[in-house]
Amino acid sequence: MSLPSPQEQLPLLTSGSNHLVSAPELLKKLSENRPLRVKLGFDPSSPDIHLGHAVTLRKVRQFQDLGHLAVIIIGDYTAMIGDPTGRSKTRPALSPEQIAENARTYQDQIFKIIDPAKTEIRRNSEWFGQFSYADVLKLNSRMNVARMLERDDFKKRFEAGVGITLTEFQYPLMQGYDSVMVRADVELGGNDQLFNNLVGRDLQKDDGQEPQVVMVMPILQGLDGQNKMSKSLDNYIGISEPAIQMFGKAMSVSDELMVQWHPMVIGETYNTERHPMQAKKHMAFRIVEQYHGKDAAVSALADFETRFSKKDIIHADLPQFAAEAREYGLIELAEAAYKNSFEITKSRGDIRKLIQQGSIQFAGEKITDPAARITPKPGDILRLDKTHAVRVS
């Protein structure tokens, strides 16, 4: 199969990106008729890769489908610092044991999206683990403080008198140096990574390399519709979550957010003529299909219809919730069910509102008194909201 020409590849590869440095440089590299080395880095700061990460991984796959090579950096060394991007304070450092455990899960997850046959996996401990203190000082000499304070998050913290550690200043330098070590032709990332990626260009120029093309993708908003998707904010869908849980979370997305999610998550323009509920089911189906296959998507849709559309929740395949044989306050019980069955942290205030709105049902009865106390028995069903319900075990 013949591949598109460089002139035809350019609009395909740049579609959907937020910022590109630069189109003429990318066209020049494509015209060299060789596989480009397309870098994308992940810090294993948590065990899950979510749909926000998948936006950029899908762009990597697009490069691979046109014959290019993905160079995936597992930032096992930079994770010990923690990316300060978007942070209002210093991020807690992870232990080597936490990093190693998280990194083990990444490879299987990314290969749900990208082609392993066209992928080179690197860990930046390969080079940073060999650094002497003199090497660190030499790398630091290639950047000045004024340039660092051009970063929006650093600038805001500095002006607000919020501490910035010198360790955090190392992060953009280290990410940039990764590009030097793997001789990246292109670096991809989220929109919030633009500064770090441009540092990579500068360091490559200093090292006598052709600077990488920088392409950043838009940031996917999380389930809350307010913040970027993040595990720490508990507003994410992990690409390895069970199909039914994935479908249910996707169905909780607001109608307004679907306009952004359709093109970014499933690669389709939002159809304004379709009823919002049908559009949401279509989107949830396609998300599950991408990561679990069509059969799992069909089953997840059927389960959702059983639980919520047909109101036949008794026969639905619900998550099991192991409750103790004692009396609970309804707020306490709902809080535990969210956390233990769905890994969702709901504040007691939020649960109180759900109860007052009539969203929470126990054993088929709607309960609107936040002070209610109940004693669950095996087989009882606790419906938490429109898309979450559990069966007591």
Side-chain angles (χ1 to χ4, degrees):
M1 182 183 69
S2 61
L3 294 174
S5 69
Q7 290 75 16
E8 291 169 323
Q9 289 187 49
L10 185 64
L12 293 173
L13 293 172
T14 58
S15 64
S17 62
N18 255 16
H19 196 84
L20 177 67
V21 183
S22 67
E25 291 179 12
L26 179 55
L27 182 60
K28 179 178 179 292
K29 288 178 182 285
L30 292 170
S31 299
E32 293 171 5
N33 293 319
R34 61 177 176 85
L36 301 186
R37 296 176 61 78
V38 182
K39 174 196 169 194
L40 177 63
F42 290 101
D43 280 351
S45 53
S46 73
D48 296 324
I49 287 179
H50 53 63
L51 295 186
H53 301 125
V55 172
T56 312
L57 281 165
R58 284 158 60 86
K59 179 58 70 175
V60 171
R61 181 56 187 258
Q62 198 173 29
F63 271 92
Q64 288 182 312
D65 290 344
L66 291 170
H68 304 293
L69 179 72
V71 182
I72 302 297
I73 307 287
I74 303 295
D76 56 339
Y77 218 82
T78 41
M80 289 191 285
I81 296 175
D83 187 358
T85 302
R87 298 275 167 173
S88 59
K89 59 183 179 181
T90 301
R91 183 178 188 164
L94 296 179
S95 70
E97 292 75 21
Q98 288 174 302
I99 292 167
E101 180 62 31
N102 293 342
R104 272 193 285 272
T105 70
Y106 271 42
Q107 189 162 313
D108 289 341
Q109 292 181 72
I110 64 175
F111 287 151
K112 285 176 174 283
I113 303 172
I114 65 175
D115 183 353
K118 298 177 181 176
T119 302
E120 178 182 309
I121 300 284
R122 305 291 296 271
R123 297 187 178 219
N124 60 15
S125 58
E126 294 174 33
W127 41 91
F128 289 125
Q130 308 302 315
F131 260 40
S132 67
Y133 192 61
D135 293 324
V136 174
L137 293 176
K138 184 178 178 182
L139 182 58
N140 274 267
S141 71
R142 298 164 74 171
M143 177 69 65
N144 61 60
V145 172
R147 177 77 197 282
M148 281 293 184
L149 291 177
E150 291 175 10
R151 270 185 60 143
D152 189 53
D153 40 15
F154 283 157
K155 183 179 179 181
K156 287 178 179 177
R157 286 164 62 181
F158 181 74
E159 291 175 348
V162 177
I164 305 168
T165 68
L166 293 178
T167 306
E168 290 177 279
F169 275 175
Q170 305 305 306
Y171 193 93
L173 281 168
M174 294 172 76
Q175 183 175 331
Y177 192 72
D178 289 346
S179 295
V180 174
M181 293 305 296
V182 301
R183 304 189 73 87
D185 290 302
V186 179
E187 181 167 17
L188 296 174
N191 195 46
D192 55 354
Q193 293 294 313
L194 180 59
F195 181 91
N196 294 355
N197 296 355
L198 292 176
V199 169
R201 280 176 60 89
D202 292 342
L203 295 182
Q204 283 181 310
K205 289 177 189 175
D206 288 348
D207 216 61
Q209 295 182 18
E210 283 291 319
Q212 65 188 11
V213 169
V214 168
M215 184 186 299
V216 295
M217 305 298 293
I219 300 296
L220 184 69
Q221 284 187 292
L223 296 170
D224 56 10
Q226 298 176 354
N227 302 289
K228 79 172 187 176
M229 185 169 285
S230 165
K231 183 173 173 63
S232 62
L233 296 175
D234 198 25
N235 65 354
Y236 74 106
I237 299 178
I239 67 173
S240 292
E241 289 186 22
I244 288 174
Q245 183 173 321
M246 183 180 282
F247 194 100
K249 282 188 174 183
M251 290 300 297
S252 71
V253 170
S254 68
D255 293 350
E256 294 77 18
L257 198 55
M258 284 196 296
V259 177
Q260 184 203 47
W261 274 44
H262 267 69
M264 290 180 66
V265 176
I266 63 173
E268 298 178 12
T269 302
Y270 180 61
N271 184 353
T272 56
E273 296 181 0
R274 181 181 278 161
H275 188 280
M277 178 57 73
Q278 291 307 117
K280 200 173 295 186
K281 287 180 182 178
H282 170 75
M283 181 184 73
F285 184 96
R286 290 280 290 111
I287 289 171
V288 175
E289 184 180 28
Q290 283 178 40
Y291 303 108
H292 294 285
K294 188 171 183 178
D295 289 347
V298 170
S299 296
L301 173 60
D303 179 78
F304 183 85
E305 296 281 4
T306 298
R307 279 192 282 169
F308 302 107
S309 297
K310 297 178 182 177
K311 309 299 182 185
D312 188 16
I313 199 168
I314 293 174
H315 299 102
D317 180 16
L318 300 176
Q320 297 291 313
F321 169 54
E324 298 175 15
R326 64 175 176 85
E327 185 181 69
Y328 284 83
L330 182 57
I331 291 178
E332 175 194 8
L333 185 67
E335 182 183 32
Y338 269 119
K339 183 175 182 180
N340 296 340
S341 298
F342 302 104
E343 295 185 356
I344 293 175
T345 303
K346 285 274 188 185
S347 71
R348 295 199 165 199
D350 287 341
I351 293 172
R352 180 182 295 274
K353 289 178 184 176
L354 288 171
I355 295 171
Q356 292 170 335
Q357 293 164 1
S359 298
I360 293 184
Q361 297 178 19
F362 181 75
E365 298 294 328
K366 185 181 293 186
I367 304 176
T368 57
D369 179 9
R373 301 190 66 81
I374 53 179
T375 303
K377 304 183 301 297
D380 283 340
I381 292 172
L382 175 63
R383 183 165 177 167
L384 298 163
D385 55 40
K386 291 181 180 179
T387 58
H388 297 93
V390 297
R391 194 185 308 276
V392 175
S393 64

